[in-house]
Every structure is written in C-alpha cells, then in structure tokens.
Amino acid sequence: MGSSTTPDQQYDILIIGAGLSGVCALHNLRERFPSWRVGVIEAADNVGGTWYCNRYPGARVDSESLSYAYSWDKEVLNEWHWKESFAPQSEIHRYIEYVCNKHNLRKDIQFNTRIKTAQWQDKSNTWLFCDEASNFYRTRFFISCMGFLSTPTLPAIPDIKKFQGEAFHTSRWPQDFDLKRDLANKRIGVIGTGATGIQTITAVSKESSIKSLSVFQRTANWSAPLRNEPISLEQMEQHRKDYDSLFQLCAETPGCFMHQADPRKSLEVSEAERFKLWEEIYAKPGFAKWLGTFSDTYTDREANRLYSDFMASKIRARVHDPKVADSLIPKNHGFGTRRVPLESGYFEVYNQPNVNLVDLQKTPIERVTEKGVITSDGKHHDLDVLIYATGFDAITGAFSSIDWAGKDGRPLLGSSDNNEGKQAIWIDHRPRTYLGMTANSMPNMFMVLGPHQPFGNAPRTIEHAVDVISDLLQYCKDNNYSYVEPTPEAVDAWTEHVVECSKGALSNEVDSWMTGVNKNVKGKTVRSVARYSGSAVEYRRRCAQTKAEGWKGLSFDKLPDAKVSIPQIATSRL
C-alpha cells in the first residue's frame, strides 16, 4: 500500500498496528475474507511493533524462541532457523519481516501514519479515523493491534528536560547508535531496573570503552538467570519435528508458556525436597524459575516467603558488596508477584569498579541538571548520557494517543476529576470489557492483547484472539450483520469474572504495570484489574462457550437496508 493516501479510504476491516498482532490479524483475515478490503495503519516505517522500536542493547525475548513463532505457517516453521534458545530483538524482527515478505503483507500496510481521532458513525455503522495529515479512513470493523507495552513513559522528575547531554527512552533507541563509538569514555546513567533496564544495564556494562555507569534504581526487582544457548542445525532439525507437541504444551499451561507448576504445595514437602526442586529449576533455562515451582508459591504468603528467601540467597552469592546486594533484593514484593525479568550476568555488573548503584529508596532524585542528576543527599551525579528505562503506559496506554468518540460521542478514556471524564467508557484507565476483546459503546471494535485478556506468551495469546475475532466476523458476514456490541450485562458479568480470577493471587497486592499502576501516568496511581489473571485454558473455554451459544453476550444489528452485504457497503461512498 506504500505511504501515500487518498481522502476517505474505505475498508471492511482496518487494523491499527503492524507488530506481531497486526501481522497475524492481517494474514489470517485476508485469507478468510478474500473479497473484503483489509488494511493496516502503522505509525512506524516498518513492521514489528515493539520488536522494531525496542532496539536497545541487550533486548531479547524471555519466552523460548521456538514458542514465539506463528503456529499457522508450517512452511516458515520448516524454513526458519532460530539461532538461540532466546532470540535477540534483531532476530525476532527479521522473523516478522520474513513472514511479511513471504505472504506479501506489506502491500496492505500503510506506514508512517499516526491516527489522531476515531469517531463512531451511527448512520452508517462505521468508524471514521483521521491521521495527523488529516487523511480519513472509513471502516466497517476495526481491530486494535496497538500492543499492551507500546506507549513509553518518562519519569516524573523535576527539570527532566534541562539535561544537555544525550537522553532517550529505551524504546526510542537511536537507529544508528553504536555502543563502542557513541559511549566511549562517557559517563552513563540509567534510570529504571525493570526487564528493559536489566537488559540494557547488562549490555552497556560489558562495553569496555565506557568511563562509568550509574544505575538509578527506583524499585528493586527480582530477576533470575536466562541461561541462553545457541541452537545448532541438528537441534533445529529435531525441533521442527516437535513443533506440534510444543504448541500443544503451550495450549495446556495457564500462561501459554512451556513450563508447568509442580502440583505439590511448598509446606507439604520437607525442606530438603523444597530445596531440591528449587535448585533444579534454578539451573534450567527460561521461566522455569518462575513458573515451575510449587503450585502455592504465588497464593500462599509463607510459601512465597520461603522461595523469595531462596532467590535472595542466590543474589547475595553473586554480589560482592553485602550492602549493594541488600539494595538489589526487593523488600516490597515477593519473588514472582511481578513478571520476572530474566538476565545474563546482571547482578555481577555491580562487582565492576566503574558501576555505581544509586538506591533511590534511600536517596531519591531531586532534579535533573544540565550535566546530570542531583539526589536528596546533595550529591551531583555527573553524566554525559541519560537513558530512561522507565517502562510504558501499559495495557490501556496505547489508546491514549487517539481521541475517541464512541457511541453517543462517549470518550473511551477519561479522568474522574472532571465532568467530561466521568462520561468515559473506561474512567481512570479502569477497563470494562467483554471477553477482553470488545467494549460497551464501542461497536465493531475488537482488541488483540487488550485489557482483560491473558497476556503470558504473547504469540500464543495473539493467535487465539485473532481466531475468535475471525469467527465472530464470519458470523456477522453469514448473517448480514453490520453492527456488533457487547451488552451492558455481559460487560458487567465479564468484568466481575476477571476481578474474581484475580482474588487470592499475591501479584494483585503489588503495584506494577500488571495491576494497572504507573505513577508517572495520571489516573494510574491506584491498582486495578487490567488483565485476565486466570488460566488461559479457562479463558479459551469461555470464549468457545460464547461462540457455541450463538455469541451470547453480544448484540447484533443491520443497517436499515438489511439486504446490503458488508462487501457492498465497503465499496460504496458512505
């Protein structure tokens, strides 16, 4: 499709976002509905989404590469050779490009186009989008593939714009940046020690040309060894034979990962048996350390305390300075109650003489200056480069960049501190959905990796969501429906179910992006239930049940001229 536009372009299905979700949706929907016009709008100049934008040093997937591929493309599965057990950003992006090129998907993707407004049109049962260049796009159905970690946030620090050195967010890493060349003899500062920060810090610390690295830790984070390994040609050949069983395993686990919890409970076995399992999974690659432990680890406080103590001992053994080790061990949440970042030598970074940990719980940042950062102890940290590894406005944040007007002109997002915001569909970023794919007062809108869906191993969740949406659109086509919206009762019941699923999980007592908290974003200072924290197996069962019952919970309608089919509507001027 290129990057040129014509006013008021017409679509049957318009997808926003060309990351893993958008690519999957475009391929599958184009195959299923060959007579419909399906297109993608993408703000960046290439496909890949988060795997294109997040090119910071050390960026790598923490799910096994083999489980991160599309299961529907058997030819690509047989052709593609994953080089490592946990692929780096560059390899995943090449994989997405390979899929797009193989299926000629780029012809239906419009790049360098950022949508600014979206308005529901009652008379025609369509959505009208407008981009930054004032070009219009009209579509019968709209699918959000904007991602749940796609809108970066900067820390709320006074005078942050005063810094005169190089400064950037990890998700906006300069394309032509060369570590050896551009960091040589420089004093580097990194704010943030989440998954992105841990990967960035580790990679930067290994660059011998830097002068110093100061890590500004806002909140200590648990982390565990990734244990990445290369995949040989012979190993890959065997893996290709095992793909079906691998995808089946993912379909049977609560988070769609290749790991199952031990069914035993922590306190029902002896101390020796506990340590035996913990040592076994600690030595394994990937999320075994997080997901392969005893079944009560994330619901029983004592079980979680015991496992957290074990993991803390591993950190202390790797960090030479006991005071630094103590600062690196979280005090406000137990192991696994936030998503666990995986690392390759992260804790050893703090044994280097040119690396300094600044514990912001003890000495918070007071302000940024032209030449660095001042902390509350009065110390000025001189810096040449300042890197913000401060995360994203997660889950609902991607919707914030668009000015939405749903049914009756209602905004999608709004703040409870003003009258207009109180009319919003999701007040204070507290989502209300049906199946995590639809929202009341937002007809004909569907979400992939939206709020109230399970996230887990993203490609597995993406494929399921796209399949459900495809089946629903087929139902609309078969019955000549031009309008679909969840009933208020269905939204209430689903939202209540999502809340019930979260009860008893220790993770829902912790501030994190998974509980809707980002203190740098207005309206996200209080925990909310923003994701489906129940089992993905149960989630899929409920979706299948909805379909089997004739899409119970959704209301359908036709335009006054009920005989006009969706393809005919799409080719007429509305």
Side-chain angles (χ1 to χ4, degrees):
M1 191 186 300
S3 294
S4 63
T5 63
T6 56
D8 207 359
Q9 293 189 53
Q10 309 282 326
Y11 296 91
D12 299 292
I13 304 172
L14 185 61
I15 301 161
I16 296 184
L20 280 167
S21 299
V23 167
C24 180
L26 174 60
H27 173 271
N28 290 14
L29 292 170
R30 208 173 65 173
E31 290 285 308
R32 187 155 185 174
F33 304 104
S35 65
W36 287 12
R37 188 179 184 197
V38 184
V40 178
I41 299 294
E42 168 57 46
D45 60 359
N46 201 350
V47 296
T50 189
W51 291 110
Y52 176 60
C53 296
N54 285 273
R55 61 181 73 91
Y56 61 86
R60 184 178 298 276
V61 70
D62 50 16
S63 303
E64 284 78 2
S65 305
L66 297 166
S67 73
Y68 214 73
Y70 296 124
S71 66
W72 41 262
D73 199 323
K74 302 301 183 184
E75 284 191 10
V76 171
L77 290 175
N78 286 324
E79 295 166 356
W80 189 261
H81 176 189
W82 292 106
K83 301 296 194 302
E84 300 177 54
S85 299
F86 301 91
Q89 173 269 335
S90 58
E91 186 175 3
I92 294 177
H93 186 239
R94 285 197 302 273
Y95 168 78
I96 298 170
E97 288 189 305
Y98 187 85
V99 172
C100 288
N101 294 339
K102 185 175 182 66
H103 295 284
N104 196 22
L105 298 182
R106 290 178 186 270
K107 74 181 183 66
D108 292 317
I109 303 174
Q110 180 167 304
F111 298 105
N112 299 307
T113 304
R114 189 173 296 276
I115 297 296
K116 296 302 293 181
T117 66
Q119 297 179 324
W120 172 250
Q121 311 288 294
D122 276 316
K123 291 183 179 180
S124 59
N125 284 358
T126 59
W127 279 99
L128 184 64
F129 292 89
C130 181
D131 67 20
E132 289 180 326
S134 298
N135 296 309
F136 289 90
Y137 313 84
R138 191 180 297 269
T139 183
R140 172 70 56 225
F141 300 107
F142 154 61
I143 302 177
S144 167
C145 291
M146 296 186 288
F148 62 93
L149 294 173
S150 58
T151 304
T153 56
L154 294 176
I157 299 173
D159 300 329
I160 193 171
K161 294 183 179 180
K162 281 190 175 181
F163 185 65
Q164 295 299 302
E166 292 182 272
F168 39 83
H169 193 279
T170 48
S171 70
R172 300 297 181 263
W173 197 272
Q175 286 197 27
D176 59 349
F177 199 91
D178 180 85
L179 282 186
K180 190 173 188 63
R181 180 194 67 209
D182 296 320
L183 295 185
N185 202 35
K186 296 208 177 153
R187 298 161 297 186
I188 320 300
V190 178
I191 300 178
T193 54
T196 297
I198 286 171
Q199 290 181 331
T200 303
I201 291 162
T202 305
V204 170
S205 73
K206 292 177 180 178
E207 176 49 57
S208 60
S209 67
I210 67 170
K211 185 174 183 179
S212 65
L213 172 60
S214 295
V215 177
F216 297 90
Q217 177 183 269
R218 301 183 299 172
T219 303
N221 232 328
W222 295 101
S223 190
L226 176 66
R227 307 200 190 284
N228 189 30
E229 295 287 345
I231 299 176
S232 68
L233 288 170
E234 295 75 20
Q235 288 172 322
M236 194 64 222
E237 193 61 38
Q238 181 58 49
H239 288 320
R240 292 189 180 102
K241 299 175 184 178
D242 298 334
Y243 264 126
D244 287 344
S245 58
L246 182 152
F247 290 132
Q248 183 59 38
L249 171 63
C250 291
E252 294 171 353
T253 62
C256 302
F257 293 105
M258 294 169 53
H259 305 282
Q260 289 269 29
D262 189 299
R264 298 173 295 171
K265 296 186 183 300
S266 305
L267 302 178
E268 293 178 350
V269 301
S270 68
E271 182 180 57
E273 289 177 293
R274 283 198 298 271
F275 275 90
K276 181 176 182 294
L277 175 65
W278 292 342
E279 290 289 359
E280 286 176 355
I281 60 177
Y282 189 80
K284 290 182 178 180
F287 278 137
K289 281 83 65 177
W290 180 28
L291 304 173
T293 189
F294 296 105
S295 60
D296 62 343
T297 304
Y298 307 119
T299 56
D300 184 279
R301 294 183 194 282
E302 179 62 11
N304 187 259
R305 184 191 67 79
L306 291 170
Y307 192 42
S308 298
D309 288 347
F310 170 80
M311 296 303 294
S313 71
K314 294 296 186 182
I315 296 173
R316 290 193 180 93
R318 296 169 62 186
V319 180
H320 297 165
D321 188 327
K323 291 183 179 179
V324 173
D326 189 64
S327 287
L328 290 168
I329 296 170
K331 309 297 189 299
N332 63 350
H333 67 285
F335 184 88
T337 57
R338 287 180 167 183
R339 185 182 172 102
V340 178
L342 299 179
E343 46 81 23
S344 299
Y346 171 67
F347 293 108
E348 286 77 8
V349 165
Y350 298 98
N351 297 330
Q352 296 179 204
N354 64 340
V355 176
N356 176 44
L357 177 67
V358 183
D359 189 342
L360 300 183
Q361 295 295 318
K362 298 175 182 177
T363 56
I365 294 176
E366 286 196 343
R367 67 183 187 278
V368 176
T369 71
E370 293 181 355
K371 296 183 177 181
V373 168
I374 294 179
T375 45
S376 62
D377 56 358
K379 182 175 181 180
H380 188 279
H381 302 264
D382 298 333
L383 302 172
D384 302 302
V385 179
L386 188 51
I387 300 168
Y388 301 112
T390 46
F392 300 88
D393 184 358
I395 305 178
T396 59
F399 295 93
S400 299
S401 62
I402 298 175
D403 183 12
W404 300 91
K407 196 169 69 172
D408 301 321
R410 293 181 67 188
L412 178 61
L413 299 169
S415 174
S416 59
D417 62 8
N418 62 74
N419 290 331
E420 182 181 357
K422 290 178 181 177
Q423 304 305 311
I425 299 162
W426 297 343
I427 301 173
D428 292 335
H429 288 271
R430 293 177 175 271
R432 299 182 59 79
T433 75
Y434 180 52
L435 302 179
M437 298 183 196
T438 62
N440 189 239
S441 295
M442 299 291 283
N444 294 11
M445 180 186 87
F446 310 99
M447 298 174 285
V448 180
L449 290 185
H452 292 176
Q453 288 183 42
F455 298 147
N457 193 359
R460 310 278 60 80
T461 302
I462 287 168
E463 286 190 18
H464 173 258
V466 170
D467 285 346
V468 173
I469 293 168
S470 299
D471 289 345
L472 178 52
L473 290 174
Q474 185 70 56
Y475 182 80
C476 289
K477 182 177 186 293
D478 292 345
N479 292 277
N480 202 33
Y481 290 130
S482 65
Y483 180 102
V484 55
E485 179 191 8
T487 66
E489 296 78 14
V491 169
D492 288 345
W494 180 258
T495 303
E496 182 179 348
H497 167 65
V498 174
V499 172
E500 284 297 314
C501 285
S502 71
K503 292 181 177 178
L506 298 176
S507 59
N508 289 295
E509 300 176 4
V510 176
D511 289 348
S512 75
W513 67 262
M514 295 195 298
T515 53
V517 174
N518 184 329
K519 294 182 180 178
N520 295 313
V521 178
K522 184 179 179 180
K524 286 196 167 185
T525 58
V526 179
R527 292 174 204 151
S528 64
V529 180
R531 67 185 180 102
Y532 190 88
S533 55
S535 170
V537 178
E538 173 62 16
Y539 175 81
R540 289 193 294 271
R541 187 194 71 78
R542 287 176 177 264
C543 290
Q545 181 180 2
T546 297
K547 176 185 174 182
E549 294 177 351
W551 299 102
K552 182 179 180 181
L554 294 165
S555 61
F556 299 87
D557 205 352
K558 306 174 183 179
L559 284 170
D561 182 2
K563 295 182 180 179
V564 178
S565 69
I566 291 173
Q568 290 172 326
I569 291 171
T571 55
S572 65
R573 292 294 297 180
L574 299 176

